[in-house]
Amino acid sequence: MPPPRPGSLRAAIVTTIAASALLLTGCSGGGTTDDKAATGTTATNGPWSYQDATGTTVRVDHTPKRVVVLNDIAISFIEYGLKPVGTFGQLPMAKDARFRGLDTNGITQLGQSYGEIDLERLAALRPDLVVTSIYPKDAQGTLDTKQPGYGFKDLEQERQIEAIAPVAQVKWGGKGEDVIEHIADLAESLGAKESTVEAAEHRFDTAHATLTKAAKRNDLSVVSMYADGDGVYVTRPSDEPTLQMYSSFGVDFVDPKPKGFYWGISSWENAGQVTGDVILLSQQGYQVADLEQQPTFADNPALTAGQVHSWTFPALDYASQAAYMTKLAGWLDDSKKLS
């Protein structure tokens, strides 16, 4: 199955939960009906609050310092100079290419796969706050607040985590630049230096210009996909904030026109229908050598031309995006039209 971008995998094996972890309590404010963008207060020594994507206002009596974060957002925090005490997500840090070159010393890995969070270890970290994301459930951007936050196995696990520390959820949908801004604001509210964020934003602006020029120079179609034993899953660009943003910068992504949300799915029998000049292949699932073993895909023009590159789901922060956009611009310039 594809990685659980919006909710395709909610079930995962979770480690045995120590009863003592459930005795710890956190604090969170009640939900509101305000549909405005989530905002956090500027970092201070006093009370801290954050209105998250679900409309819940999370309150802590001091600026959280011991924060446990979903790996997608943990990367952004590290880029902005914050050091989470723990992380969780689809991949352990050691297997996630996005963490390469980042200082992860002192960060506790709480699980090895999606939904696997060791609550005893989480409680031992004494977190002030847990940060995760929430995906829309449809192309209209509807959030299903009755489902667990991203990275949580189920609602029961989410309740157990909330008994340890308050949970804040960031919307991972819509316009990519909006998500980047929300995460930057949240990081600054937790103590990230404004100068660090601004320096990263400057690199982002430079990379934006570079990618826009490369997209304009090269009339190339790009496919973002995941593959496994069941087939090929092509991402609809408007449903993934990073791809939406790149599209707005001029990159021509193939739209699989899925029947539902996010994924256009082709069995291996129909995988020959997946075409494009450049492939961005998920770092999870099948890799190039595996694709070459599939009779219906081995002759794919982008694959045979060597125009396949890793799609890491780059974190939505200015620094991570600047680095990936620069790479993508180079790949476009180094590629040729195949169709």
Side-chain angles (χ1 to χ4, degrees), residues 2 11 84 101 176 226 281:
Y226 165 93
L281 181 63

Side-chain angles (χ1 to χ4, degrees), residues 314-338:
L316 281 162
D317 61 79
Y318 293 119
S320 296
Q321 288 297 323
Y324 196 87
M325 288 193 297
T326 300
K327 289 181 181 179
L328 179 56
W331 295 334
L332 294 178
D333 281 337
D334 291 340
S335 297
K336 59 184 178 181
K337 185 74 174 175
L338 303 173

Side-chain angles (χ1 to χ4, degrees), residues 32-288:
T32 74
T33 57
D34 192 346
D35 193 38
K36 295 180 180 178
T39 57
T41 57
T42 302
T44 66
N45 293 324
W48 180 92
S49 68
Y50 178 76
Q51 183 181 304
D52 78 358
T54 70
T56 299
T57 299
V58 181
R59 294 186 176 89
V60 182
D61 62 7
H62 60 284
T63 299
K65 297 298 182 185
R66 301 185 61 81
V67 182
V68 171
V69 192
L70 176 73
N71 53 13
D72 292 337
I73 302 173
I75 293 162
S76 300
F77 281 9
I78 296 170
E79 290 283 9
Y80 291 146
L82 301 177
K83 180 66 73 72
V85 296
T87 190
F88 60 95
Q90 295 181 43
L91 294 172
M93 291 182 286
K95 294 183 179 180
D96 191 332
R98 299 174 300 174
F99 281 96
R100 290 174 188 163
L102 298 181
D103 180 9
T104 60
N105 290 331
I107 302 177
T108 298
Q109 184 73 55
L110 293 171
Q112 298 297 310
S113 61
Y114 188 91
E116 181 182 327
I117 300 175
D118 188 325
L119 298 191
E120 187 173 9
R121 295 186 75 188
L122 173 64
L125 291 175
R126 298 177 288 106
D128 301 314
L129 179 70
V130 175
V131 179
T132 189
S133 62
I134 180 171
Y135 271 83
K137 65 177 183 178
D138 55 34
Q140 289 69 47
T142 307
L143 298 180
D144 186 353
T145 57
K146 295 182 180 179
Q147 293 298 313
Y150 192 76
F152 299 156
K153 177 185 176 183
D154 49 33
L155 288 173
E156 176 60 23
Q157 186 190 59
E158 183 172 297
R159 284 191 288 268
Q160 293 166 339
I161 292 170
E162 288 175 333
I164 296 171
V167 174
Q169 299 186 41
V170 176
K171 180 180 177 181
W172 209 271
K175 294 182 178 180
E177 288 180 275
D178 289 345
V179 182
I180 292 173
E181 184 176 351
H182 290 331
I183 292 174
D185 289 344
L186 176 57
E188 287 189 32
S189 80
L190 293 170
K193 294 181 179 179
E194 184 178 355
S195 59
T196 300
V197 175
E198 288 180 346
E201 186 174 6
H202 178 72
R203 297 197 300 275
F204 173 89
D205 291 340
T206 300
H208 171 190
T210 299
L211 179 59
T212 299
K213 292 175 182 177
K216 188 174 182 179
R217 277 194 300 269
N218 302 283
D219 179 23
L220 301 172
S221 60
V222 182
V223 177
S224 171
M225 59 173 268
Y226 165 93
D228 63 14
D230 294 326
V232 176
Y233 301 74
V234 176
T235 316
R236 179 163 59 188
S238 59
D239 293 342
E240 170 61 38
T242 298
L243 301 185
Q244 178 280 324
M245 180 174 68
Y246 296 171
S247 295
S248 74
F249 295 166
V251 179
D252 180 18
F253 281 97
V254 172
D255 185 346
K257 297 181 173 59
K259 294 180 179 179
F261 181 58
Y262 203 90
W263 293 116
I265 304 173
S266 297
S267 65
W268 282 115
E269 289 78 6
N270 299 315
Q273 300 174 1
V274 178
T275 59
D277 300 310
V278 176
I279 292 176
L280 300 182
L281 181 63
S282 172
Q283 66 173 329
Q284 300 182 62
Y286 280 8
Q287 299 304 297
V288 169

